[in-house]
Structure formats: structure tokens, C-alpha cells
Amino acid sequence: MASTKMILRGKKEETVEWTGLFMNDLKSKQESLVFVKRMLAVAVSSITYLRGIFPEFAYRSRYLEDLCLKVLRENSSIPGANKVVRWMMGCFDALDKQYLQIIYIGVYTDPEDHNCIIESYQFNFRYSEVGPEMGILRNNEMQMQVTLEDTKTASVLLIRKLFLLMQNLGVLPSNVHLTMRLYYYDDITPADYQPPGFKEGVYDRIWFQGIPVHFKVGHVETSYHSLKVRVSVDQGQVKKLEEGNEVKETAIQNPPARKADKGTPSDDESGQFKKQPRPLRKKKAATKSGARKKMRI
């Protein structure tokens, strides 16, 4: 009986931790949207914290199961941290309108050349208007709707894998800078749309300094949204991971020392630094992949 009470208490505490950070019901489109925004905030905050980009007092603590998460404060005394928060608000605006396809965060060292990247983080978004009403028949097999437990499991796994990857990378140089670029679903995004904190981008090249290694960190779905997280780092950063054979899911590429991206990051992480072909127009935003670039201010 005592052990049963302990198990029940543990489950209750886990629920409290989840609802304290996310929502305990994702049945509506608005609830799903709030969840995706919070997942994005947690992921970006965790990356900047674990990579040592901002000092600890720029963050506040949140808890999920046995994980202590650091989330950027909205009004800190660190200008760079405040700028990232403003970028996030711009991303939220684009998510609200279902314009946003990809968030690309690049880490660079030369303030005069923000296109020469030493590390990058990519967040891919898809949207669904169908919702949780019924299963979908695909290839003569019934695909069940996404449950809250599925989303919880995938979310915690994504965060844990992100933690594992960040904690096993080499230390960044002390003089790093961040750039954020947004890519949109062109067929539904107005040509003059500018989210808060962003300006029209230039169709320029992104150079990766060194040999990039690509990681699929995780994929989280609700009935209305889908989020994928990909990370690219220099080969020299992953010696610990290669020894432990953890997290890594894609083969090391063998490009020249500097590799150019002539356009939008691809949905396939192995082609992330190649030009993405413009697709045919389709009716549903969730299946469109043409994108437009917005540069950070």
C-alpha cells in the first residue's frame, strides 16, 4: 500500500510539472499553438544557456520531470538576451498566422560576416486544419490521431536529447554572435509581411566554417502542429559523442572546409546547406515548402 501511494504521488508531481510548463489539454487549435510556442521558447533558451551564450541571471528556472530548464527572462539586464526574446515574439506572430516554416539560428564569430556559421539550429513547422476529429487512412493503414501522452513523451525525449547533445559539445569561442532567419510558406504569406523585430532578408549565401555534422534532435506533433529540431555543428565539436555513439543519427558529411548555402535550409538535414528546389503550389499550407527569408535586426 505504501508503495502504491508513492507511485501515485509521483504521477501527480509529474502532472503538476507538465502543467506548470505546458498545458494539460491540447484538444483545441489555440491550446496546440500555445504548446508549440512554449516548446520553442524552452528549446531556444536551453540552447543559449547550455552553450554559455548568456549568463545564468538572464534565465529563470522551470522543471519538467527530473530536468531543470532555464528559460530566458523577458526583461533582463543583458541586451543580447532581450534581443533574442524580441526575436521569439516575432516568431510567435508568424506562428499565429501560420506563415512560419523554418527558424534558422546561426552562431558566428566575425561580426562583419554573419553568413559564416560555426553552428546552427533549425526548427521546422507544419500546420494541420484537420484536428483530432478522426484517424487518417494512408497506404491502406489507419493512422491514429496524436494523443496527449504521445506529445508528452516526444517533448520530453526531444528536450533530453537536446540537453545530451549540448552538454557533450566542445566549448564555444568567447566572442560568438547569433543571427536568426525566418523562412515562410510563400503561397500564403503576404509579400510585405514583416514580423516584429525582423526586416526583409537578402537572398545571400550561408557558409559553414569547417565540416558540418547534422543531428536530428526530435520531432513533436499535436493534432494541429508539428515541430522538428535539427542541429548542425563542426565535426571537431563532437568527439565525445562519437566515442559514446549517442544522439547522432546522420552520417558525417565530407564537404570542403567552407560550404555554401545558396538558399533556404532543406527539410532534409543532410541537404541543409544546399539550395532547396521551389516546389509546385499546393492547397494546404502544411504541404507547401517554398520559403522566403527574413533577416534579423
Side-chain angles (χ1 to χ4, degrees):
M1 183 64 68
S3 61
T4 302
K5 289 182 179 179
M6 289 178 66
I7 292 173
L8 290 174
R9 187 168 65 245
K11 288 184 178 179
K12 182 177 180 181
E13 288 174 356
E14 180 180 333
T15 302
V16 170
E17 289 166 354
W18 173 268
T19 55
L21 186 63
F22 300 113
M23 305 184 74
N24 203 36
D25 200 347
L26 301 176
K27 293 180 180 178
S28 74
K29 187 175 180 180
Q30 182 60 32
E31 289 168 339
S32 174
L33 177 61
V34 171
F35 165 76
V36 170
K37 289 179 180 179
R38 292 182 181 178
M39 272 296 296
L40 178 61
V42 167
V44 172
S45 297
S46 297
I47 289 166
T48 59
Y49 177 76
L50 293 170
R51 299 305 282 137
I53 294 175
F54 303 122
E56 182 149 1
F57 60 81
Y59 303 84
R60 52 196 172 96
S61 298
R62 290 291 183 268
Y63 297 89
L64 181 63
E65 295 188 356
D66 59 334
L67 298 173
C68 177
L69 308 178
K70 298 293 184 177
V71 181
L72 283 166
R73 298 180 182 274
E74 292 187 14
N75 296 298
S76 74
S77 58
I78 306 299
N82 289 333
K83 179 174 284 190
V84 172
V85 171
R86 290 197 299 273
W87 291 349
M88 297 297 295
M89 296 302 174
C91 295
F92 293 167
D93 184 82
L95 280 170
D96 287 338
K97 297 175 172 63
Q98 295 192 4
Y99 296 162
L100 186 59
Q101 180 190 13
I102 296 171
I103 299 173
Y104 181 87
I105 300 176
V107 182
Y108 62 100
T109 55
D110 184 355
E112 302 299 321
D113 185 7
H114 58 254
N115 291 326
C116 185
I117 304 298
I118 64 171
E119 199 165 287
S120 69
Y121 302 87
Q122 183 172 313
F123 302 83
N124 292 59
F125 301 90
R126 291 185 180 273
Y127 310 91
S128 171
E129 298 296 338
V130 177
E133 295 179 0
M134 62 183 68
I136 302 173
L137 186 63
R138 291 178 181 170
N139 300 324
N140 297 322
E141 294 184 2
M142 181 62 72
Q143 303 294 318
M144 301 303 294
Q145 66 186 45
V146 181
T147 67
L148 178 62
E149 288 305 315
D150 292 335
T151 303
K152 282 184 177 181
T153 300
S155 302
V156 174
L157 180 60
L158 187 154
I159 294 171
R160 287 185 183 281
K161 290 179 72 175
L162 188 62
F163 270 46
L164 178 62
L165 176 58
M166 297 296 99
Q167 291 171 344
N168 282 278
L169 294 178
V171 178
L172 284 172
S174 59
N175 60 332
V176 296
H177 307 270
L178 297 179
T179 181
M180 181 182 286
R181 304 172 185 226
L182 307 186
Y183 299 81
Y184 304 112
Y185 289 105
D186 265 353
D187 292 343
I188 62 171
T189 306
D192 61 349
Y193 173 69
Q194 307 288 352
F198 290 82
K199 62 184 179 182
E200 185 66 35
V202 178
Y203 196 70
D204 53 5
R205 297 183 177 184
I206 298 173
W207 297 93
F208 199 98
Q209 183 176 320
I211 300 177
V213 182
H214 309 293
F215 297 88
K216 297 178 182 179
V217 178
H219 180 198
V220 179
E221 286 185 300
T222 71
S223 296
Y224 296 94
H225 296 87
S226 171
L227 167 65
K228 291 182 180 180
V229 181
R230 314 284 177 90
V231 176
S232 297
V233 299
D234 182 69
Q235 182 179 357
Q237 290 272 16
V238 296
K239 291 182 179 179
K240 292 182 181 179
L241 290 172
E242 288 178 351
E243 293 172 0
N245 198 27
E246 299 282 356
V247 180
K248 186 175 170 185
E249 296 183 8
T250 56
I252 294 176
Q253 307 300 308
N254 293 297
R258 301 183 79 197
K259 191 169 184 178
D261 170 24
K262 297 182 180 179
T264 309
S266 168
D267 188 53
D268 176 6
E269 78 291 337
S270 65
Q272 183 172 346
F273 299 97
K274 298 177 182 178
K275 186 174 182 179
Q276 184 181 35
R278 187 176 181 83
L280 297 174
R281 283 177 172 268
K282 298 183 180 180
K283 292 182 179 180
K284 294 183 179 180
T287 59
K288 299 168 188 170
S289 57
R292 206 158 36 87
K293 186 188 301 182
K294 295 285 184 181
M295 299 286 291
R296 63 94 177 97
I297 290 180

